[in-house]
Amino acid sequence: MDGGNMMKKPILILLLVPLLFMVFSVPVSAVVWKDYQNARNTAENCEQGGDFSGAITNYTKASEYAKALGYQEIGYELDLRIRSIDPMTEVYALTTNTSRVPHFGAKYEPQAGAYFGKIGNSSTISNYAIASYYFELGQDSMNLPTGQNAVQINLNFPDEQKTAAQINAGAFDGWLDAQLPKLNNTADRPVYLRIGAEMNCWYHSETDYMKPEVYREAYTRIAQKARNFCPNVALIFSVNSTSYWLGVMKDFYPGDAYVDYVGVSAYSTFYGQIDQLSLGKTTDTEQMFRCLGKYSSPINVLREVTYYFPNKPLMITECGVANSNKAGANAEMTNAAIRHINELYSSFLMVYPQIKSIVYFDYNPGSGFNYQLADNPNVKNSFEQAVSRNPALLRSLNDTPDAVFTKFAKYNDPGDTIRLRSYSKSVNSEAISVS
């Protein structure tokens, strides 16, 4: 036996092992990327075929793969799509047992049902449980209007992020110290203070946008003064239903100590442009992100705020359904408005029982979208019919709901008669609501 050859063979094998590894191994990132592509392709095929359960499962996998590869923007987009295509199919039962709806113990929270309201310019505002009024920080005198309604005070930041920075520098301390005590004169009426709303969509450029930490500081400065000067007032942290791209509304949240309610502006505008009667060249992803077209149903508009704040009482601090814009209206826009106003008032409290008030922006600002009900008789008629069918809407402060909604799977009330309703939304078809 040749001892010299025996020594050469192990050396040769050791030299070959790294070469074999280089030939047959594949970078982990390439494997994950392939998994991402497979999952996304499967998800898209499922969505197109109407298999939303399969689509959600595979979009979830694709999102996880994308994030693992460092593609956070892709993960952000896919997470939005998951929440947008969820059909939310459910059967509900009407019950007089009001303990079946969530109650959070918040200041001025109705025991059950939701306050029904409009902005305070309405001549019939006395017929509503809550009225909404707007004041500009540093400009207007916050004198409470008279009446028997609950009052929602909207304290706007006139120059958005610039105003927030000025608040933090103490520029408005004198004005706040003089105005906030006026909110104590309520004659036992509930007063809700909505501070600097819709901050999550204040974006003008890559360097000029509302930064969460700046807003949190500004909100907290005002909230601390409100707790001191008008402790009877409930505080609302109120977001827009959609954020600027890659923005996350929960990042602006200042903490439970200074938030009694989470509010949201929830508008349904089928078209995205104020001067066009079409979706134009907007991509499906853009429509999904901005809740346009097939994604514009009111239930879908609330997808983000209910996802990020599932355990807070929710106030619809502004909402509206666009029945026209500067270009007028067409059949597609009108039909969408009729569907959406019906869904807003017939299904909101059924699908989202944490809602405690709904304030409709019944106004035509003249600058773009028109939300005024009187300007479209068909939309107004749909609104009136939906309101009349909703037993959980409270029309005065002393009102109690005739009934509330609970999921049928949890229903066990005695009796032979069960009143059922159902809801299901699909981005490939109109929402279905049956009663």
Side-chain angles (χ1 to χ4, degrees):
M1 188 175 289
D2 188 342
N5 287 336
M6 288 184 65
M7 291 298 295
K8 292 176 183 177
K9 288 179 181 178
I11 293 173
L12 180 61
I13 292 172
L14 289 171
L15 290 171
L16 287 173
V17 168
L19 293 174
L20 290 170
F21 181 77
M22 292 174 63
V23 171
F24 292 107
S25 68
V26 178
V28 173
S29 60
V31 174
V32 177
W33 178 251
K34 186 67 174 178
D35 290 338
Y36 158 76
Q37 289 180 312
N38 289 337
R40 180 154 193 166
N41 289 338
T42 301
E44 290 173 350
N45 290 334
C46 288
E47 181 182 348
Q48 292 172 4
D51 178 9
F52 295 107
S53 177
I56 289 170
T57 296
N58 284 281
Y59 277 134
T60 301
K61 292 179 180 178
S63 175
E64 292 171 352
Y65 292 138
K67 292 172 186 175
L69 290 167
Y71 298 121
Q72 300 302 319
E73 189 166 343
I74 294 176
Y76 178 87
E77 174 208 338
L78 294 177
D79 290 344
L80 283 176
R81 185 166 294 280
I82 289 165
R83 295 192 285 275
S84 297
I85 67 172
D86 184 353
M88 301 178 69
T89 303
E90 192 68 64
V91 177
Y92 299 88
L94 282 162
T95 176
T96 56
N97 182 357
T98 57
S99 66
R100 293 188 178 278
V101 296
H103 190 267
F104 302 87
K107 188 179 294 184
Y108 305 134
E109 178 186 357
Q111 186 64 40
Y115 290 142
F116 176 42
K118 287 188 179 182
I119 57 174
N121 69 333
S122 171
S123 60
T124 59
I125 198 63
S126 60
N127 298 330
Y128 296 88
I130 185 169
S132 176
Y133 300 89
Y134 293 83
F135 298 90
E136 299 297 310
L137 179 70
Q139 300 175 17
D140 298 329
S141 178
M142 291 202 300
N143 297 311
L144 283 176
T146 59
Q148 300 301 312
N149 325 80
V151 178
Q152 177 181 300
I153 299 294
N154 306 285
L155 184 56
N156 291 337
F157 291 8
D159 293 313
E160 300 179 344
Q161 52 266 39
K162 180 181 178 181
T163 299
Q166 292 171 333
I167 293 168
N168 297 339
F172 294 100
D173 282 356
W175 186 90
L176 290 165
D177 293 351
Q179 297 299 321
L180 288 174
K182 297 179 180 180
L183 302 186
N184 272 324
N185 303 319
T186 63
D188 297 324
R189 297 164 65 195
V191 176
Y192 306 86
L193 179 61
R194 180 181 180 231
I195 302 172
E198 303 177 358
M199 79 305 295
N200 57 315
C201 66
W202 296 348
Y203 188 98
H204 301 285
S205 71
E206 291 183 358
T207 58
D208 184 16
Y209 64 95
M210 186 71 259
K211 297 176 177 61
E213 63 277 10
V214 176
Y215 176 82
R216 291 195 303 267
E217 183 180 348
Y219 178 101
T220 301
R221 191 182 189 98
I222 296 175
Q224 288 173 334
K225 288 181 175 293
R227 292 290 199 225
N228 181 40
F229 288 114
C230 47
N232 58 311
V233 171
L235 302 181
I236 309 173
F237 163 77
S238 191
V239 297
N240 191 59
S241 59
T242 58
S243 303
Y244 52 69
W245 183 247
L246 295 182
V248 179
M249 58 180 63
K250 69 175 182 179
D251 291 345
F252 296 89
Y253 188 70
D256 289 345
Y258 297 110
V259 177
D260 297 304
Y261 295 83
V262 168
V264 63
S265 298
Y267 288 92
S268 292
T269 53
F270 192 82
Y271 301 130
Q273 303 298 321
I274 62 173
D275 56 357
Q276 295 180 18
L277 292 178
S278 74
L279 289 166
K281 297 181 179 180
T282 55
T283 65
D284 181 78
T285 297
E286 184 179 355
Q287 292 172 32
M288 175 196 69
F289 173 69
R290 297 174 58 196
C291 294
L292 305 176
K294 64 184 181 181
Y295 302 101
S296 59
S297 77
I299 295 296
N300 189 57
V301 167
L302 290 190
R303 68 190 177 192
E304 298 302 288
V305 70
T306 53
Y307 173 77
Y308 286 117
F309 304 102
N311 299 314
K312 295 291 290 186
L314 181 63
M315 299 179 74
I316 310 302
T317 46
E318 284 182 27
C319 65
V321 171
N323 58 65
S324 66
N325 62 18
K326 284 187 173 182
N330 59 13
E332 184 177 44
M333 188 176 195
T334 298
N335 290 336
I338 291 170
R339 292 196 311 271
H340 292 165
I341 198 73
N342 175 71
E343 181 178 303
L344 195 160
Y345 281 99
S346 65
S347 300
F348 254 24
L349 298 182
M350 185 168 68
V351 178
Y352 301 118
Q354 67 268 47
I355 292 175
K356 302 300 176 179
S357 73
I358 303 176
V359 173
Y360 190 80
F361 192 79
D362 192 12
Y363 185 61
N364 179 6
S367 58
F369 296 111
N370 179 10
Y371 306 101
Q372 190 159 295
L373 295 168
D375 289 350
N376 190 309
N378 292 326
V379 175
K380 182 180 179 182
N381 182 58
S382 181
F383 162 79
E384 292 173 346
Q385 290 184 11
V387 167
S388 69
R389 292 194 301 265
N390 192 332
L393 286 172
L394 306 177
R395 292 162 176 78
S396 72
L397 294 181
N398 298 320
D399 199 6
T400 56
D402 296 328
V404 293
F405 301 98
T406 186
K407 291 182 179 180
F408 179 60
K410 298 180 179 180
Y411 181 85
N412 59 2
D413 290 9
D416 298 327
T417 302
I418 305 176
R419 294 176 293 169
L420 298 178
R421 295 189 183 182
S422 65
Y423 179 82
S424 182
K425 75 175 174 68
S426 168
V427 294
N428 291 333
S429 65
E430 296 181 9
I432 300 171
S433 183
V434 179
S435 58

